[in-house]
Amino acid sequence: MDGKRLSIEANIEVPEEAEGVLAHGADGIGLFRSEFLFIQPNRFPTEEEQLAAYTTVLTAMGRRAVTIRTLDLGGDKVMPGYHFAPDSNPLLGWRAIRFCLARPEVLKTQLRALLRASVHGSLRIMFPLISGQGELDRIAEIMAEVKGDLTREGRPFRADVPTGIMIEVPSAALTSDILAARADFFSIGTNDLIQYTLAVDRGNEKVAYLYEPFHPGVLRLIRMTIENAHARGIPVGLCGELAGDPLATVVLLGLGLDSFSMGPIGIPLIKRIVRSVGSMEAEAFVRSLTPMKSGLEIEHAVRGWMEDRLDFSSW
Ligand code: PEP
Ligand code: MG
């Protein structure tokens, strides 16, 4: 990629993975799913346990950015022994930030551990499943409270830790101009964004044929999110499976994405593609997709471009 500074980062789920991601060439960690810490029967991890885990990751990554997502429980992520109220539709129910805001002591403990760990590296904190500004207001109150407590206790932390939000709900993408004023960065979670935009349960094989990352409705939301973020001067990453799909790379580059985060194994290939595609070329290609009417038509065009433009036989 010419000129533009792009970052290709790793998704991890346990702290021990952090060491290995450097060997795969990761520029940082774009998504640390903190849920693993909470997957233990009948209790939540203490502040000290969380502090140790976050410190391990930050220390391993040195000056590279580490984006840690606050607890994303519920929906498709269930914890043994923890009994959620039986939502009739868990994917639309009490999950992720909704759960944390209803149980603020859980969020406060996690934020205390994160802020205390922040002195060990380059931390960014990210909130999942944001659907609108009201949640950000509540998060800001809790964050201010936690920072006040740590200051009073004389515990060191970095006061300027960037906080960002995941764009996973269509309403967040559609109001990304509003939300961009309240975030230091966006990260598009396409696994959920596609699911909610197309009303397709991402784990249900019967409707898997409708789960189309290149659906014009999905691409419009991604475009809107990136444009609104850039208009406010904040960067946008993408940390869903789509980031590691070689077919999507040129499209995401052409839409102006700033960073990709994926399973570490996918990094070398995506880096090679990124290096071999010019930004003007990617933008022009994406413009050529605009009149297309279906995900299938767009996917077909992308495959054709990849075959013409990138000779994988020599890779
Ligand atoms: C996403 O939704 O794209 C995402 C990265 O979050 P998760 O897969 O953990 O829901
Ligand atoms: Mg998600």
Side-chain angles (χ1 to χ4, degrees), residues 31 33 35 69 72 77 95 166 168 188-193 202 239-241:
L31 169 64
R33 291 181 165 98
E35 292 78 66
R69 176 175 77 185
D72 183 359
K77 301 175 184 74
R95 58 166 296 203
M166 290 193 72
E168 305 184 276
I188 305 174
T190 39
N191 303 341
D192 277 314
L193 185 62
R202 70 196 234 194
C239 60
E241 296 292 315

Side-chain angles (χ1 to χ4, degrees), residues 58-126:
L58 285 161
T59 307
M61 296 305 289
R63 289 165 56 181
R64 294 177 181 81
V66 173
T67 308
I68 302 183
R69 176 175 77 185
T70 61
L71 181 60
D72 183 359
L73 218 52
D76 57 334
K77 301 175 184 74
V78 281
M79 187 179 112
Y82 191 84
H83 301 293
F84 278 89
D87 277 338
S88 59
N89 193 339
L91 290 171
L92 299 182
W94 205 44
R95 58 166 296 203
I97 198 66
R98 301 164 182 191
F99 169 77
C100 286
L101 291 177
R103 295 280 309 274
E105 72 283 3
V106 175
L107 184 58
K108 275 185 200 166
T109 303
Q110 185 164 31
L111 290 177
R112 281 180 61 94
L114 284 166
L115 287 171
R116 287 177 61 195
S118 67
V119 295
H120 297 288
S122 179
L123 174 67
R124 308 196 313 166
I125 299 175
M126 177 160 87

Side-chain angles (χ1 to χ4, degrees), residues 47-48 51 55 58 110-121 123 125 146-161:
E47 182 179 326
E48 297 302 322
L51 173 63
T55 301
L58 285 161
Q110 185 164 31
L111 290 177
R112 281 180 61 94
L114 284 166
L115 287 171
R116 287 177 61 195
S118 67
V119 295
H120 297 288
L123 174 67
I125 299 175
V146 168
K147 285 182 173 174
D149 289 347
L150 291 176
T151 305
R152 268 189 299 282
E153 293 164 26
R155 294 191 190 274
F157 67 93
R158 282 187 41 193
D160 60 348
V161 174

